[in-house]
Structure formats: C-alpha cells, structure tokens
Amino acid sequence: MTTTFINRPMAWTNQRLKYTQNDCINLKALWKMLILNDNHEKEDIKSNKSLGLIPHSISDKNSENDMSLLKFFAINALELSAPASPVLLLQQQKSIPSGTWLQLAGHPESIAPGANGIVRKRISGVDDSEAIAYRGISKDAYASKIVPKFLGVTESNGDTYLELQDLLHGFRDPAVMDIKMGRRTFLESEVKNTKLRNDLYKKMIAVAPTEPTDEEHKQEAVTKLRYMLFRERMSSSESKGFRIEALRMKGSSPITDLKTVKSDTDVYNTIARFLCRKQNVTKQLLERLKQIRGYIEKSHFFQRHEIVGSSIFIVYDEDRVGAWLIDFAKSRRLDEHVKIDHRSQWEIGNFEEGILYGVDQLISIFEDISAESNST
Ligand code: I3P
C-alpha cells in the first residue's frame, strides 16, 4: 500500500471526542478494554515477552525503569501463578486500588477487575464456547503465546467467570486500541436467522439514515445478518479484514465513534495518530504482529477452528508495548472435512473468516507507517 501521511482531522476532532463521550450506542458491543485511571505510585516494570509484553528497556538504552530480565520474569511468574480461587479473588477485590474503571468496550458488566494481574470475564457456564476455546488454546504451544494467559474458570455467587491475564496490568496511562479482525464478523448460523431486530435498525440509521430499504423502514427492523454485513461494508472489515473498534490515547477519553473509518487514508491516519510517530513502539508492534501471524499459521488450534469476532488488542505506554488476540466467544471447531486458510473469501459453507487476511493488511499498514516515520 502506498499511502502518504496526511494529517486530517477525521476521527480526532474535539467535536468527535465530545460526541463520543456522550455516545452510548457503542457501549453494549464493546466489552474488552478496561482502563484503570488510577493514581498509583510508580510501579516497577513487569514485563514478559512470552506474555506479549515487550519492555522498551530491552531496546532503549538508559531507561530509568531498567530492571533485570530475571526480575520481571520472576514478578510475572509470581503474579500469574497466584492461586485464583473464588475466595481469594473476592478478597483481592477488596484491595483494588481506588480509581475510575472505564469500560471502553463491550457487553456491559461482563468483565470485572481483579487484582494481581487478573481479570474475570463472565461467561454462561463451564461449557461456554469461550471457555472451550481457551482450554483448547492453552494446550496449543503457538496459540497460547498470542492470547492473554488463561488461568481457568471459576464460579462465584452463581456466576461463572473466565480468569484471564489483565492485559493492562502494570501499564501506566496506556494508549490502547481494539482492532476487530476478519472480513466475516458473524457466525454462519446468522444466515438462517430471520429474527427482525429494532435495535439493529436503530443502530443502522444512526450511521446511515438512507441505508434501510423501504420495507425495512416500514418494519423498523433488520436481521442481524443484514446489520453485520452493513457494518462490515461501512467500515474497513470487508476490504481490509479488520476494523478499528475503539481506541484511547494517553491522558484522553476513549474514542469509539469509528464505525465509518474505512478508506486507506482514514485507516492509515487513525493508526498513525495512535502510534504518535513513536518509532520504537511502531517497530516493536510490527514485530509482534508478525509473530502473531507466524504463530497463527503454525497453530493446530487455528487450523481446526474458525475465529470469528476476535480482536487484536494493542497497548503501549512509556515503557512497554504489547499486543494479543482476544475474544473467542465465536470461535468454533470445524468439522473434520473442512479446511480453511483464514485468508480466502468467505462463501457460505466454507467457514473462511479472513483473520489472517486482516493480519496481513494490518502488518502492511504498520510497515508503511514505520517507513514513513523513519523517513521524517
Ligand atoms: C455489534 C457488533 C458486535 C455484535 C453485536 C452488534 O454492532 O457487531 O460484534 O455482537 O451483536 O450489535 P456494533 O459494533 O455496531 O455495535 P456479537 O459479536 O456478540 O455478535 P448483538 O447486538 O447481537 O450483541
């Protein structure tokens, strides 16, 4: 891709930001990013490359937070091997530092802050599809390296939770971005779902008032398939195999009004602005994205599953960067005879979702941004 950096206001104007702060439309669908705006005293660097965290201090000389690798491996080993029984977690909840939790993304109240680097995500039960996916992933040498550490399933007060590595733990006022992967973002089962939904019609006309047909306007409802295809077409999902769902810059409010970020220029500029011309961050994230691609290609889990609706979650602060694949509620095991490459175009029955096609496109944009920032 040959895109040049043009500093357009696009999704970054104050007006947009103001609108976004008052905009509740997106909140239901966005559960992933929990940002703790706290007033902690400065923490030690706690990083671990194998968990997707890349400390700047490894490549940046003279970082004031330099710590021996041994020390941060030891810290992480302690945190992630911490027993995660319901009782302990409830006790830990009491010691959560006071601060403001912002749920930037997602189905509300499905995720709860834990402590010691753990978050809990509510699921339907022990056989929830996401729990099944995490169990499979954690047995896969490659897939397990690109997702949050899975600590198990726990029950508390009648609810069941996944216990996962808190990807923001230890970061200070981080920049975060959630990129939903894939050209197809719905399960094939939606094709047969004829249920008409007024909420999706409302979301549709909020973005494009003239999009519904006369019939749909009359019914004031659309099917989920109709809405999801529209959503993919209005954003970059259809063309690039990914879309930027939400982001937050250091010291700023979250931006979730990104449903029409679609063109090469808009996508490029949004990511470039997110990276703030930080060469080191861009370079390390590019390496991590390539690593993620390589692990997906080698993983047996990915060969045997369609991965629908997952996101790449990117985070960086002054000290470190990290990127992981998250959200496996719509990952499904493929029948034995079905083979997918995660890049081909979807046709009903072939189960292709285009996640690797999206990673290819994303890497290409990061390469362009990296080249641009090196040349200026
Ligand atoms: C939502 C988004 C979610 C989807 C949700 C959509 O649209 O595509 O991924 O949830 O369906 O409404 P938007 O991003 O425009 O808010 P699932 O991934 O769980 O299907 P829902 O309304 O049926 O929850």
Side-chain angles (χ1 to χ4, degrees):
M1 195 181 88
T2 52
T3 316
T4 45
F5 182 83
I6 304 164
N7 197 0
R8 287 179 38 189
M10 210 254 310
W12 295 84
T13 60
N14 287 338
Q15 287 87 339
R16 281 246 188 178
L17 194 56
K18 206 165 138 201
Y19 172 70
T20 300
Q21 284 171 314
N22 298 321
D23 171 22
C24 291
I25 293 173
N26 276 344
L27 288 180
K28 177 176 178 289
L30 302 169
W31 69 264
K32 286 143 287 197
M33 289 187 240
L34 283 169
I35 296 166
L36 178 60
N37 287 337
D38 60 14
N39 295 314
H40 289 189
E41 52 199 63
K42 195 159 186 163
E43 290 189 8
D44 289 336
I45 292 177
K46 299 166 193 168
S47 295
N48 184 334
K49 273 191 163 176
S50 70
L51 295 172
L53 286 174
I54 305 165
H56 291 188
S57 53
I58 286 176
S59 50
D60 288 347
K61 287 180 192 158
N62 303 325
S63 163
E64 59 169 2
N65 287 314
D66 248 343
M67 181 191 284
S68 74
L69 268 179
L70 189 62
K71 195 168 170 192
F72 36 79
F73 285 143
I75 289 168
N76 265 310
L78 266 180
E79 284 177 358
L80 295 172
S81 62
S85 73
V87 172
L88 181 66
L89 279 164
L90 287 175
Q91 285 167 354
Q92 288 168 342
Q93 294 265 350
K94 289 180 193 150
S95 64
I96 293 168
S98 61
T100 311
W101 283 90
L102 284 178
Q103 185 162 356
L104 201 169
H107 291 283
E109 295 164 21
S110 71
I111 198 156
N116 287 347
I118 299 169
V119 291
R120 299 194 304 175
K121 181 181 180 186
R122 190 161 57 221
I123 52 173
S124 59
V126 286
D127 292 328
D128 183 276
S129 51
E130 192 157 23
I132 293 169
Y134 268 107
R135 284 189 201 106
I137 288 169
S138 59
K139 288 186 202 134
D140 183 301
Y142 296 111
S144 58
K145 290 192 173 73
I146 61 174
V147 305
K149 187 97 177 160
F150 173 57
L151 298 157
V153 171
T154 187
E155 286 180 319
S156 172
N157 294 331
D159 284 321
T160 311
Y161 298 89
L162 293 175
E163 291 182 345
L164 299 168
Q165 174 193 359
D166 178 356
L167 301 179
L168 295 176
H169 183 67
F171 279 93
R172 294 182 56 79
D173 194 10
V176 288
M177 181 157 64
D178 180 300
I179 304 173
K180 182 170 278 199
M181 301 306 297
R183 282 191 277 205
R184 173 170 62 92
T185 58
F186 53 87
L187 289 170
E188 289 201 355
S189 55
E190 291 302 341
V191 174
K192 290 190 187 142
N193 181 359
T194 54
K195 186 178 168 195
L196 289 168
R197 287 178 53 179
N198 173 257
D199 61 327
L200 297 181
Y201 168 82
K202 283 183 182 156
K203 287 210 274 191
M204 181 183 271
I205 57 172
V207 178
T210 58
E211 172 68 22
T213 61
D214 291 346
E215 181 71 6
E216 287 164 346
H217 273 308
K218 215 161 91 192
Q219 291 166 334
E220 295 192 349
V222 293
T223 63
K224 181 152 175 182
L225 177 68
R226 167 82 168 101
Y227 179 74
M228 297 300 262
L229 288 170
F230 158 78
R231 188 77 172 78
E232 290 164 8
R233 178 165 40 84
M234 291 302 285
S235 66
S236 57
S237 292
E238 187 184 81
S239 57
K240 297 195 187 310
F242 72 83
R243 68 174 179 245
I244 303 162
E245 286 278 281
L247 59 87
R248 182 225 186 231
M249 301 301 295
K250 174 184 166 72
S252 301
S253 301
I255 296 173
T256 58
D257 177 26
L258 300 167
K259 285 189 179 182
T260 56
V261 174
K262 172 179 180 170
S263 69
D264 287 357
T265 309
D266 282 358
V267 172
Y268 180 94
N269 283 346
T270 303
I271 298 175
R273 290 295 299 267
F274 172 76
L275 295 169
C276 280
R277 292 176 176 268
K278 290 178 187 287
Q279 285 181 21
N280 212 20
V281 168
T282 307
K283 201 168 141 249
Q284 289 177 81
L285 284 172
L286 179 56
E287 288 312 307
R288 174 64 174 161
L289 289 174
K290 287 181 180 172
Q291 189 183 51
I292 287 173
R293 175 168 66 186
Y295 286 156
I296 291 176
E297 285 170 338
K298 286 182 188 153
S299 155
H300 181 71
F301 180 88
F302 279 87
Q303 280 157 23
R304 299 306 325 136
H305 289 77
E306 58 170 331
I307 312 292
V308 173
S310 292
S311 287
I312 287 187
F313 183 83
I314 292 177
V315 51
Y316 73 84
D317 66 6
E318 296 303 318
D319 300 314
R320 286 162 297 161
V321 307
W324 299 264
L325 195 64
I326 60 169
D327 268 5
F328 300 97
K330 292 200 296 281
S331 292
R332 297 285 184 277
R333 190 170 173 83
L334 298 163
D335 284 346
E336 286 312 312
H337 67 279
V338 178
K339 300 261 178 298
I340 67 174
D341 61 19
H342 302 285
R343 286 189 171 94
S344 300
Q345 194 78 43
W346 174 61
E347 287 166 20
I348 180 119
N350 76 359
F351 293 93
E352 293 287 359
E353 82 299 79
I355 189 174
L356 274 175
Y357 174 83
V359 178
D360 291 340
Q361 299 292 313
L362 194 58
I363 286 173
S364 158
I365 292 170
F366 269 74
E367 281 172 339
D368 288 347
I369 293 170
S370 183
E372 173 80 25
S373 67
N374 285 339
S375 68
T376 50

